[in-house]
Amino acid sequence: MGDRARTPTLTALLCLGLCRGPCDQVQAGAAPKPSIWADPGPMVSRGSPMTIWCQGSLQADVYHLYKDRVSKPLDTEAPQNSSKKAGFSIESMSTHTAGVYQCAYHSRRKGWSERSDPLLLVVTGVYPAPSLSAHPSHVVTSGGNVSLSCSSEVTGDTFYLLKEGGAGPPRQMQSRTFRGRWQAVFSVGPMNASHGGTYRCYYNSSSYPHTWSYPSNPLHLEVTGVYREPSLSAQPGSLVFSGDNLTLQCRSGAGFDRFALTKDEGLTSPQHLHGQHSPYFPLGHVSHTHGGQYRCYSGHNLSHAWSAPSDPLDILIVGMYEKPSISAQPGPSVSWGEKVILQCRSEISLDRFHLSKEGSPAAPQLLRLQDAAAPFQASFTIGPVTSNHEGNYTCYSSDSTFPYLLSLPSDTLELLVSAPSPQDYTVENLIRMGGAALILVVLGILLFQARDSPGRLEDAARRSSYRAVPTEWCSSQNRSLFMHSFTEDVPAVGKTNSRNISRGAQDLV
């Protein structure tokens, strides 16, 4: 780069004294400083070519390239095709070409510019690659935290963590020894969609800070919980015989074109999400290895942000043990509103029992025995029963050690629910109607008599008052009070009638 011949024009310019004093002398502030960058980037693997570009804001006559803040320029280039930039090519990156670079340019009107900002060129692939892992998982819920551990068997003084496509500088951390390895742990979080992506790490020696190791294995960090959860279903169903075909389908809202399926293996979260464009996951001919709990996620293409997980779906593999027996207590025919007990019994030592209703979309009911001693049976109480409980029932048995492997199904038990007998209210209604008619007849007779014979009504009132007076009213103290209330309660037909009623009351006393 610095040894090739100068062009005649460049040599003539240098000889004309464009640089007063040494050619690397800079007249500070005379011209704006240029910009500097590396193509394809500031990190280049050993042996690869790269180009350093320097661009000024004015039309320049010549560009100088400096390395490691040395005053003498490392190389000199004329601008290309009357442009305002020049390229300095490095044919093969090595430990000697790595370092800190700056550039400056000369303008006829302004003289020498300031030097550019420093550009750090790092050569990678000098030391063996470290390993990068995520704890507790590569898949992290939005708002959570994750630790990325970079470790190496070779001595490394400083470790660096880079995110692919990240705009910021690499994170760096001093190493420490742990179980015979050098490592650094980088904490990432609280997580959001921007933290998802591909990460790699490197290390170097303090003696050669610009010489780095090979990159670690790529680590894909996935962020879940960014979008609403989808739903997961099984075709033909979650109860499947060994050898049958099974397909799982992940359903989500419109706009999602990437889907991932996970199978829980006793971990708090999946270790990886392998996305595909189809929401269908054919599992083929299932065996005992397919039994388990599944969830699915939805997302967008070329993104590391995912939805929340779907509700878990248990896939139960049928046919692993002998079939149990099923019975109903007190019997398979039950009256509406009563309760019935369906009893599932196994002849072998199994401690979990599942009850399934034919045609029901719900997962089978599950009971686990607390006592492992014989008899091996479980009782499912159903009720108060309605017509919805009527149908065919089967039961299965399983071992808690292998909870997703079920026995053969029991024989089918048909549960019949008799409808309640309707109550007959005809007699009661007739009695009520007869009583009402009788009351109306009596009232009509009384009204007719009162209209034709007012005197008879007064006599009837007098006789009623005689019978209604209690014995305690016969005392002299209550006589006046009785007379007053009686004359108010019985309406007067005339003055004579009122006096006659009062006189009759006195005779009674």
Side-chain angles (χ1 to χ4, degrees):
M1 178 171 62
D3 298 331
R4 58 180 178 270
R6 303 292 193 273
T7 63
T9 303
L10 179 58
T11 305
L13 290 172
L14 294 175
C15 294
L16 287 174
L18 292 177
C19 298
R20 297 182 181 179
C23 291
D24 60 331
Q25 182 179 356
V26 177
Q27 298 178 0
K33 66 181 179 182
S35 57
I36 188 172
W37 69 94
D39 185 20
M43 294 181 59
V44 185
S45 59
R46 183 172 57 175
S48 298
M50 63 94 59
T51 301
I52 300 175
W53 290 96
C54 185
Q55 181 172 3
S57 58
L58 301 174
Q59 187 65 46
D61 303 317
V62 66
Y63 286 86
H64 280 181
L65 182 66
Y66 302 87
K67 183 175 181 292
D68 296 332
R69 303 185 186 279
V70 177
S71 58
K72 184 178 180 180
L74 177 68
D75 198 3
T76 302
E77 285 285 351
Q80 295 183 349
N81 301 325
S82 302
S83 65
K84 296 180 180 180
K85 66 179 181 180
F88 300 88
S89 298
I90 300 177
E91 295 180 357
S92 177
M93 282 292 293
S94 66
T95 57
H96 301 290
T97 56
V100 179
Y101 288 82
Q102 289 177 292
C103 71
Y105 66 93
H106 183 274
S107 170
R108 292 180 180 272
R109 293 187 296 119
K110 297 288 186 177
W112 283 101
S113 69
E114 299 180 54
R115 289 192 182 185
S116 67
D117 292 331
L119 171 67
L120 173 62
L121 285 189
V122 172
V123 59
T124 63
V126 179
Y127 311 112
S131 62
L132 182 62
S133 58
H135 304 280
S137 170
H138 297 200
V139 182
V140 190
T141 304
S142 178
N145 294 278
V146 64
S147 296
L148 303 185
S149 176
C150 186
S151 63
S152 171
E153 294 180 350
V154 179
T155 303
D157 296 322
T158 305
F159 285 86
Y160 300 86
L161 179 68
L162 289 84
K163 181 175 182 287
E164 189 174 283
R171 293 178 60 182
Q172 65 182 66
M173 183 175 292
Q174 296 300 312
S175 66
R176 60 184 180 89
T177 56
F178 180 73
R179 294 180 180 178
R181 295 177 65 90
W182 282 262
Q183 73 168 13
V185 179
F186 299 87
S187 179
V188 181
M191 299 291 291
N192 57 44
S194 65
H195 291 99
T198 302
Y199 290 78
R200 290 180 174 86
C201 73
Y202 302 78
Y203 66 90
N204 68 2
S205 170
S206 57
S207 302
Y208 303 97
H210 310 309
T211 303
W212 289 13
S213 67
Y214 281 98
S216 70
N217 53 294
L219 186 147
H220 306 289
L221 208 56
E222 314 286 350
V223 183
T224 65
V226 179
Y227 313 111
R228 186 177 179 180
E229 73 277 2
S231 63
L232 182 63
S233 60
Q235 298 296 331
S238 59
L239 279 170
V240 57
F241 280 87
S242 178
D244 287 354
N245 278 301
L246 179 66
T247 298
L248 303 185
Q249 182 181 3
C250 189
R251 293 185 176 92
S252 65
F256 291 94
D257 55 2
R258 196 160 172 248
F259 304 90
L261 181 70
T262 64
K263 180 184 177 186
D264 293 350
E265 300 176 353
L267 302 172
T268 55
S269 59
Q271 288 296 301
H272 299 281
L273 289 180
H274 301 288
Q276 66 176 40
H277 292 295
S278 173
Y280 295 95
F281 296 87
L283 301 186
H285 298 284
V286 299
S287 66
H288 67 279
T289 59
H290 291 93
Q293 191 171 81
Y294 292 80
R295 290 180 171 87
C296 76
Y297 300 78
S298 57
H300 298 287
N301 195 28
L302 303 178
S303 172
H304 294 271
W306 294 87
S307 68
S310 67
D311 291 334
L313 175 66
D314 291 341
I315 298 300
L316 306 176
I317 308 300
V318 176
M320 299 293 108
Y321 311 104
E322 296 178 5
K323 71 177 182 179
S325 60
I326 187 171
S327 60
Q329 301 296 333
S333 182
V334 190
S335 298
W336 185 293
E338 293 183 352
K339 292 184 178 181
V340 63
I341 296 176
L342 301 185
Q343 193 173 80
C344 189
R345 182 186 181 97
S346 174
E347 297 300 327
I348 59 177
S349 177
L350 296 174
D351 58 355
R352 289 161 59 97
F353 293 87
H354 311 256
L355 180 66
S356 175
K357 182 175 182 290
E358 184 179 299
S360 173
Q365 295 185 51
L366 171 64
L367 284 180
R368 180 174 179 178
L369 299 183
Q370 300 298 324
D371 187 1
F376 309 110
Q377 64 183 23
S379 298
F380 297 86
T381 301
I382 300 177
V385 298
T386 66
S387 59
N388 293 329
H389 294 97
E390 195 170 61
N392 295 325
Y393 289 81
T394 54
C395 75
Y396 306 80
S397 53
S398 65
D399 191 333
S400 57
T401 308
F402 306 101
Y404 302 105
L405 305 182
L406 272 58
S407 68
L408 290 166
S410 69
D411 294 334
T412 301
L413 183 144
E414 184 179 7
L415 187 65
L416 301 176
V417 179
S418 58
S421 57
Q423 298 185 12
D424 191 357
Y425 297 100
T426 304
V427 177
E428 296 180 6
N429 290 336
L430 290 174
I431 293 174
R432 291 190 182 96
M433 292 174 65
L438 181 60
I439 292 172
L440 290 175
V441 170
V442 172
L443 290 176
I445 293 172
L446 291 176
L447 290 174
F448 179 78
Q449 290 178 351
R451 186 184 64 181
D452 293 343
S453 304
R456 293 180 184 179
L457 181 60
E458 294 177 8
D459 293 339
R462 186 185 299 112
R463 287 193 297 270
S464 299
S465 65
Y466 293 159
R467 290 192 298 269
V469 177
T471 56
E472 60 268 20
W473 282 83
C474 296
S475 62
S476 58
Q477 292 86 347
N478 296 328
R479 190 174 302 164
S480 59
L481 178 60
F482 170 77
M483 292 299 299
H484 175 72
S485 61
F486 186 84
T487 55
E488 287 183 347
D489 293 339
V490 179
V493 179
K495 292 182 179 179
T496 303
N497 293 337
S498 298
R499 285 195 297 270
N500 291 336
I501 294 172
S502 300
R503 191 179 300 113
Q506 291 174 359
D507 294 341
L508 178 62
V509 176

